[in-house]
Amino acid sequence: MNGFTTIIMQDIKLAIRTGGSTITLLTFYISIGVIMPIAIGPDKQLLAFLAPAIVWIAALLSTLLGLERLFVADHEDGTLLVLTHADISMPAIALAKLIAHWLITALPLILATPVLAVMLFMDWPTFVAIILALLLGSPALIALGGVGAAIAVTLKRGGVIAPILIMPLAVPILIFGISATSSLAGPGASNAALLFLSAFSLLSVAFAPFAIALALRTAAE
Amino acid sequence: MTQTAPTKQPNWFSRLAHPGVYLNWSAYLVVPLIIATIITFGIGLWFAFFNSPADYQMGETVRIMYIHVPNAWLSQMVYAVMAVSAIGSLVWRHPLADVSMKAAAPLGAAFTAIALFTGALWGRPTWGTFWEWDGRMTSTLILFLMYVGLVALWSTFNDQSKGARTIAVFTLVGAINIPIIKFSVDWWNTLHQPSIISTEGLSMPASIATPLLIMMLAFTLLFFTLHMVAMRSEILRRRANNLERRHIAQKMDVTS
């Protein structure tokens, strides 16, 4: 087992043994699905129409919420400093952390989406489309959020600022994600938006580790 | 066999970019820049108000364009200035690049805010609405949010030189993202008129293009003037902070 997989496994183990954070995140995600119908009203057709937007907003907010602690704990207990002297490069460490974080947070959210689908009266094609779009779009969310989390590491009061910084950058994910959902489920299905979403994910996953590594190295100095 | 490498003389650019040297030579430029800005504004405003025709469709409201378009142009140009400074800050760790990046952020936010505000004022009589979720307005609004985020980010750092590198990373991530955001928002909804100044040349009569170009030059000069003054005061502020810190440190040495 090399350093890369060790970091992934360690983060997953930590998440399982300390528990809590994933459950909190899932509760938050589902809560948005509960709050929305209460605010909008129990109109079945309206909710079904708004369902993709609600699910995407819930996913965006939950991901941003979960990212806050991505690197902060490692920075506080000195793990980050040790990792800067590790045998593998900093971008590789950042990528490993991102993969682990996707497995801990984004994947459970996607697995919990059926609950939202039932509460929002989603039809079957929309449900399939949104799962597909979430699977392809969430890596970009995590990667961009990772940049925000790495920037927030050095700040003493950085908790609120990371989501503010990341939200504008997440606009393309939201646009392509929702557009992919409606165009896949609707008549005259087209996968153009889905392809753009995948392209954005690939691009952000390719670039984000380097940006994160730069920010983390500054933090460890 | 110890052969020392010849010490590299700094080239003219890095000599000029030393913060202290910058303070010296920029002092001579501030007043001429202010004068040039005022003169260009005078000519531009005179053209805009008295020597350009009212549009046959939009009437007198077309004059809002002479404020709106230059600010919209600056909203993007200032980010380019910040992105170039961010590269300078990351690659050469140059303190002047940090200062330039920091000085540009609030200016960019202000120009973008003016572009949005005049756009709303212009939209009301011509489109019948203050706000429309059209592609270009939305991406300008998102740009504004990014500027505000950057200004807020600067204020959270106690150590400005350490903060500069982190902020440079984010500025560049934003610079890569801006074209993607623009594209995605255009895909999402488009209403706006196409770009006025395109590769095919101007798509408007010279009587309107002349004041517009002069006003764009005037606002660009305004930006460079304000940017230079802001950079100078930022350098002086850092010096004052250092002096203060050194003073406190000396005091503590004496007492201990």
Side-chain angles (χ1 to χ4, degrees):
Chain A
M1 196 149 74
N2 60 15
F4 191 77
T5 43
T6 311
I7 292 174
I8 298 179
M9 293 313 289
Q10 182 212 15
D11 274 14
I12 292 173
K13 262 186 214 156
L14 271 174
I16 292 171
R17 292 193 185 156
T18 56
S21 62
T22 302
I23 308 289
T24 318
L25 219 58
L26 282 178
T27 316
F28 184 75
Y29 184 61
I30 304 290
S31 308
I32 295 179
V34 177
I35 287 289
M36 282 295 185
I38 291 175
I40 295 166
D43 182 348
K44 268 192 183 186
Q45 273 184 328
L46 188 62
L47 282 176
F49 176 73
L50 293 175
I54 295 172
V55 170
W56 269 100
I57 288 171
L60 176 69
L61 293 180
S62 321
T63 316
L64 291 179
L65 191 77
L67 278 160
E68 201 195 316
R69 302 289 300 170
L70 178 52
F71 299 111
V72 173
D74 280 349
H75 180 61
E76 279 167 357
D77 65 11
T79 313
L80 211 57
L81 206 60
V82 177
L83 283 178
T84 50
H85 299 286
D87 215 12
I88 58 173
S89 67
M90 209 59 189
I93 294 169
L95 185 62
K97 294 284 261 182
L98 289 181
I99 292 173
H101 198 72
W102 187 84
L103 291 170
I104 300 163
T105 60
L107 197 58
L109 289 188
I110 295 170
L111 292 177
T113 305
V115 180
L116 285 190
V118 171
M119 291 196 297
L120 300 170
F121 311 107
M122 222 183 268
D123 56 12
W124 180 250
T126 312
F127 173 69
V128 175
I130 209 161
I131 293 287
L132 202 60
L134 279 174
L135 274 173
L136 289 172
S138 53
L141 268 181
I142 298 280
L144 283 179
V147 178
I151 287 169
V153 160
T154 34
L155 305 171
K156 287 191 182 67
R157 33 189 198 279
V160 201
I161 199 143
I164 291 177
L165 291 173
I166 293 308
M167 208 88 83
L169 302 185
V171 165
I173 307 173
L174 215 54
I175 289 175
F176 291 132
I178 290 175
S179 160
T181 312
S182 51
S183 62
L184 278 182
S190 125
N191 61 357
L194 202 67
L195 291 178
F196 277 121
L197 189 66
S198 323
F200 193 70
S201 268
L202 287 172
L203 194 74
S204 2
V205 172
F207 279 115
F210 295 96
I212 294 172
L214 263 174
L216 288 182
R217 230 181 262 131
T218 317
E221 264 169 17
Chain B
M1 282 274 292
T2 48
Q3 201 171 17
T4 48
T7 43
K8 210 175 132 201
Q9 280 292 311
N11 61 9
W12 63 271
F13 183 75
S14 43
R15 269 207 302 274
L16 282 181
H18 178 274
V21 179
Y22 174 81
L23 272 185
N24 284 338
W25 65 258
S26 64
Y28 296 104
L29 276 179
V30 171
V31 176
L33 262 176
I34 291 175
I35 293 169
T37 310
I38 292 173
I39 290 173
T40 323
F41 259 111
I43 299 171
L45 285 174
W46 180 75
F47 262 109
F49 280 111
F50 304 113
N51 201 10
S52 66
D55 190 78
Y56 74 98
Q57 267 183 325
M58 294 187 265
E60 296 292 338
T61 59
V62 73
R63 302 191 199 283
I64 299 175
M65 178 182 73
Y66 302 127
I67 308 289
H68 172 69
V69 173
N71 280 289
W73 138 255
L74 275 180
S75 70
Q76 293 173 31
M77 195 202 77
V78 174
Y79 204 97
V81 169
M82 283 199 322
V84 172
S85 308
I87 293 172
S89 169
L90 276 179
V91 177
W92 295 288
R93 294 195 168 211
H94 205 292
L96 197 68
D98 301 355
V99 170
S100 157
M101 198 164 58
K102 186 181 180 186
L107 292 174
F111 287 124
T112 315
I114 296 173
L116 286 169
F117 182 70
T118 51
L121 288 185
W122 196 15
R124 180 69 190 158
T126 48
W127 292 343
T129 169
F130 283 115
W131 185 257
E132 191 67 53
W133 285 104
D134 131 85
R136 258 204 273 169
M137 294 166 82
T138 312
S139 55
T140 307
L141 183 62
I142 294 168
L143 189 62
F144 177 67
L145 292 178
M146 288 172 69
Y147 276 121
V148 173
L150 279 168
V151 174
L153 192 56
W154 273 108
S155 66
T156 52
F157 280 99
N158 291 330
D159 182 353
Q160 296 281 295
S161 58
K162 198 171 173 180
R165 287 176 61 72
T166 314
I167 293 168
V169 173
F170 182 75
T171 309
L172 285 180
V173 171
I176 298 172
N177 255 285
I178 285 172
I180 303 175
I181 294 174
K182 255 183 110 53
F183 170 74
S184 70
V185 172
D186 280 345
W187 155 295
W188 176 63
N189 191 7
T190 298
L191 224 178
H192 221 99
Q193 53 209 350
S195 281
I196 293 166
I197 296 164
S198 62
T199 44
E200 293 111 56
L202 293 169
S203 61
M204 55 165 64
S207 58
I208 288 179
T210 314
L212 182 61
L213 289 176
I214 297 173
M215 285 303 278
M216 285 174 83
L217 180 68
F219 270 102
T220 310
L221 279 171
L222 178 68
F223 163 70
F224 281 117
T225 312
L226 291 174
H227 190 226
M228 187 169 264
V229 173
M231 279 173 75
R232 289 171 57 79
S233 45
E234 176 65 23
I235 295 172
L236 293 174
R237 187 183 303 133
R238 287 185 183 189
R239 280 193 178 172
N241 284 344
N242 282 342
L243 284 176
E244 198 175 13
R245 222 172 288 155
R246 204 178 299 164
H247 183 65
I248 293 169
Q250 275 170 354
K251 252 193 194 163
M252 282 162 77
D253 276 347
V254 171
T255 48
S256 62

